[in-house]
Amino acid sequence: MARVVVLGAGISGHTAAAFLRKKLSKKHEVVVISPSAYYEWIPSNIWVGVGRMKQKQVRFKLDKVYKRWKIQFHQAKAISIHPEGNAEHKKAFVKSVYSTGDQQGQEFVVEYDYLINATGPKLNFEATEGLGPGKNSHSVCSSSHAVESWNALKQIFEAAERGEHKKILVGTGHGSATCQGAAFEYTLNIAAEAKRRKILDKLDITWITNEYELGDFGMGGAYIKQNGYVVPTKVFTESILAEFGIKWIKRAGVYKLEPGVAHFELLDGTKDSIEFDFSMLIPAFAGSGITAFGKDDEDITAKLFMSNGFMKVDADYTPKEFEEYSVEDWPETYQSPEYENIFAIGIAFAPPHPISKPMKSVNGTPISPAPPRTGMPSGVTGKTTALNIAAKIEYNRSEIAHKASMGRMGAACIVSAGYGLFNGMAATMTVNPIVPDWENYPKYGRKINYTVGEMGLAGHWMKLSLHYMFLHKAKGYPFWWLIPE
Amino acid sequence: MKTNPKVYYEEAYPPVPLGFVRFMRKFFLWQLFRFFVLNYKVMRIVAYGHS
């Protein structure tokens, strides 16, 4: 009997747990440890944040699904990994602390044969003074945050409906933040909702971003084929914002928020501030903060994790200049180089370096996006890792057959720009591969024939159908495994 | 002297769609066709990219 422990039940961890249970015979155990009682389909949070979906539509309780699948579920937060065991435990184990119920605060230990770290990011609001819910800005990074955002935004809309002019600021809340796509979607949805309510002229909406050029999205931008031209995503993105009358500030690292004011530094070193009545700013991400200990309880955290808390995997972490970046640097198996029974997937793995060119202001402040690993890559790395572990357990395979490098896989990104079956809109963008491969595709870095960039109602239908399809899949309804990641 | 407010700032330069493009973006039959085209293009990436 083998036991596989999955830390985290987000898109990546939940996908891994589902496929492990499907592939492993019943004598083997799958254990999920996650601090939240819910699975959330995070891409739909932007609709919760503009009041077009309820929180219950984007999440469901995990315990019922795991009970049906016969997966052990602990609602708890993992605090330390002990890959060599210790004096008390011969086998490797994870120490966690219950986050709810009668046992809240109580520590417990689960031994493992294989461990998947899918803890996702820590939303590092503390990295920017005054940033975050409960302080001076809002977030859509969780459905609870999105509900709070909508409660605040609703008041702005009501004031605009009374004829008052209001200022809205949306974007990245730190010089090294990522997830520009989600913030961009939220900006467009605010504008679309305001347009539907005929109050767009009462709102002064500004998009603030750490990107060098708009449309970078943390992946160094892309080229798309459009109307007989090859167009950079910069033009595509700026065109969408201009259409809605949204202003923008680029190359900006927000470093401090005060009530109604955001202070930022630009790449040229100048410092400025902007006033707002409502703001939604994405924080920087960090690893979840799990520590690691050796056989004699010595601290080996630095052996398993990078200093930012993300786990080291089979990537090439040699420091390099941007010009030397290669797709070969990116991991394929997500296996720890130190312990072959430990894997890190989704946002939890440490990328070898950014995809966008790292930049610093003249004052030395880093102002450029971190690489994205959300959405499709999260699901794909979850599934491939589950298949690899299942093959090791069931067939005793030593080699890793399934590989999923971000330098080989493509991704589709559907950027919602308004909700409605007949009036909705979304920009559908595809890139292949996610990490530009300048050696094989020297002209555009990616396969230009595989790229798409198109605005329209069809994109909204796709985004909406993905919402229902992926929730169907996550709930383990019939034929869930046929739905790709 | 009056200055032209439409130029010399970032937001003035991107291309913006005219009426026909905006109409086609929401024209049901055209979008139904595009829905299948886009699904095909996304599925092509999914099939190719999943090792």
Side-chain angles (χ1 to χ4, degrees):
Chain A
M1 192 277 283
R3 180 185 290 148
V4 187
V5 174
V6 182
L7 307 179
I11 292 174
S12 204
H14 187 67
T15 304
F19 278 99
L20 278 166
R21 190 65 284 169
K22 179 170 163 42
K23 294 289 176 184
L24 290 175
S25 55
K26 296 298 173 200
K27 65 181 179 185
H28 302 299
E29 284 181 13
V30 179
V31 180
V32 174
I33 299 171
S34 176
S36 173
Y38 294 92
Y39 174 87
E40 293 191 357
W41 179 243
I42 291 170
S44 295
N45 282 351
I46 43 115
W47 288 332
V48 177
V50 292
R52 299 308 300 265
M53 270 196 178
K54 300 287 182 196
Q55 188 178 26
K56 64 181 180 188
Q57 290 175 274
V58 301
R59 70 177 195 174
F60 63 85
K61 280 204 157 188
L62 286 163
D63 54 358
K64 283 181 189 169
V65 177
Y66 287 157
K67 196 174 174 185
R68 182 156 39 88
W69 279 345
K70 294 185 173 54
I71 288 175
Q72 280 184 40
F73 176 53
H74 297 280
Q75 193 182 334
K77 182 177 165 49
I79 49 177
S80 59
I81 300 170
H82 303 252
E84 298 161 13
N86 64 7
E88 266 183 76
H89 299 270
K90 271 189 173 177
K91 282 184 77 172
F93 68 93
V94 176
K95 191 183 278 182
S96 308
V97 58
Y98 283 109
S99 54
T100 189
D102 298 339
Q103 297 166 302
Q104 187 170 3
Q106 191 180 313
E107 290 184 1
F108 66 101
V109 158
V110 180
E111 293 183 348
Y112 66 81
D113 295 288
Y114 289 91
L115 178 73
I116 299 179
N117 175 14
T119 43
K122 175 194 169 201
L123 302 175
N124 198 8
F125 292 109
E126 297 78 20
T128 306
E129 187 183 338
L131 182 76
K135 294 180 182 169
N136 302 306
S137 67
H138 293 277
S139 153
V140 289
C141 294
S142 73
S143 63
S144 303
H145 287 169
V147 170
E148 286 177 35
S149 290
W150 169 234
N151 289 338
L153 182 64
K154 193 161 49 178
Q155 292 178 25
I156 300 293
F157 281 176
E158 286 166 0
E161 280 162 357
R162 292 193 298 271
E164 296 175 32
H165 283 265
K166 292 288 177 186
K167 293 173 181 167
I168 292 176
L169 180 69
V170 184
T172 50
H174 188 270
S176 302
T178 182
C179 257
Q180 286 78 11
F184 186 64
E185 274 188 285
Y186 194 53
T187 318
L188 300 181
N189 269 270
I190 290 174
E193 192 59 20
K195 195 174 176 185
R196 191 176 72 89
R197 291 166 182 249
K198 299 185 173 54
I199 51 170
L200 188 55
D201 60 325
K202 297 287 187 293
L203 300 180
D204 186 359
I205 306 174
T206 303
W207 164 247
I208 188 164
T209 178
N210 56 356
E211 298 158 295
Y212 185 78
E213 292 293 356
L214 269 57
D216 182 285
F217 296 125
M219 53 177 194
Y223 292 95
I224 52 176
K225 284 205 301 185
Q226 200 177 39
N227 300 329
Y229 284 82
V230 174
V231 178
T233 44
K234 164 187 158 66
V235 174
F236 185 62
T237 309
E238 288 180 352
S239 172
I240 296 169
L241 289 179
E243 187 183 343
F244 280 103
I246 298 168
K247 290 181 278 188
W248 62 81
I249 301 166
K250 61 186 179 184
R251 305 171 192 174
V254 173
Y255 63 88
K256 185 179 175 183
L257 269 88
E258 292 177 305
V261 187
H263 301 279
F264 58 91
E265 180 182 344
L266 297 173
L267 265 181
D268 65 10
T270 55
K271 291 189 175 180
D272 205 344
S273 57
I274 181 168
E275 293 183 353
F276 60 82
D277 298 298
F278 171 89
S279 77
M280 197 297 291
L281 298 170
I282 300 281
F285 288 173
S288 67
I290 300 177
T291 50
F293 295 93
K295 200 166 192 168
D296 300 320
D297 288 331
E298 73 277 19
D299 193 327
I300 55 165
T301 307
K303 197 169 157 186
L304 263 79
F305 296 93
M306 301 293 277
S307 57
N308 57 10
F310 295 118
M311 189 177 255
K312 294 175 191 172
V313 290
D314 61 315
D316 181 354
Y317 294 108
T318 314
K320 291 176 181 174
E321 294 297 319
F322 174 72
E323 288 70 21
E324 294 166 359
Y325 287 0
S326 163
V327 291
E328 306 302 330
D329 302 337
W330 286 78
E332 291 184 320
T333 65
Y334 303 89
Q335 189 175 32
S336 165
E338 301 292 339
Y339 301 96
E340 63 173 26
N341 60 344
I342 297 180
F343 296 79
I345 55 176
I347 299 175
F349 84 82
H353 44 64
I355 302 173
S356 305
K357 186 173 182 174
M359 298 201 187
K360 285 184 178 176
S361 75
V362 292
N363 305 318
T365 311
I367 302 175
S368 54
R373 282 97 81 204
T374 48
M376 198 181 265
S378 281
V380 173
T381 56
K383 182 180 177 180
T384 50
T385 301
L387 297 182
N388 286 327
I389 291 175
K392 276 176 176 284
I393 294 171
E394 291 289 353
Y395 308 110
N396 205 21
R397 287 199 182 136
S398 55
E399 82 282 6
I400 290 188
H402 301 275
K403 294 178 178 175
S405 166
M406 283 172 60
R408 305 268 180 269
M409 77 172 91
C413 178
I414 302 173
V415 179
S416 172
Y419 186 95
L421 213 50
F422 297 102
N423 285 307
M425 183 104 77
T428 306
M429 287 190 275
T430 61
V431 290
N432 191 6
I434 299 167
V435 178
D437 182 352
W438 295 104
E439 285 164 33
N440 286 315
Y441 312 106
K443 199 164 183 184
Y444 301 114
R446 298 184 175 96
K447 297 173 195 173
I448 198 70
N449 287 333
Y450 277 74
T451 61
V452 176
E454 183 173 320
M455 275 285 273
L457 180 58
H460 174 71
W461 292 339
M462 286 183 72
K463 178 128 184 136
L464 198 60
S465 54
L466 289 179
H467 166 90
Y468 290 110
M469 275 167 54
F470 281 117
L471 281 172
H472 176 102
K473 178 176 180 166
K475 288 176 182 174
Y477 286 163
F479 306 109
W480 63 266
W481 62 89
L482 293 176
I483 298 169
E485 281 62 51
Chain B
M1 190 180 81
K2 269 181 90 174
T3 54
N4 188 341
K6 298 281 183 193
V7 293
Y8 296 109
Y9 62 100
E10 286 250 350
E11 291 82 355
Y13 295 103
V16 286
L18 293 172
F20 180 72
V21 172
R22 290 205 303 269
F23 169 77
M24 291 303 277
R25 280 177 180 177
K26 293 194 176 174
F27 180 48
F28 184 82
L29 291 176
W30 175 246
Q31 289 301 315
L32 195 63
F33 169 69
R34 295 308 299 168
F35 178 72
F36 290 109
V37 171
L38 290 172
N39 267 293
Y40 164 73
K41 292 193 171 185
V42 169
M43 286 312 294
R44 204 167 55 150
I45 279 189
V46 168
Y48 187 87
H50 290 46
S51 152

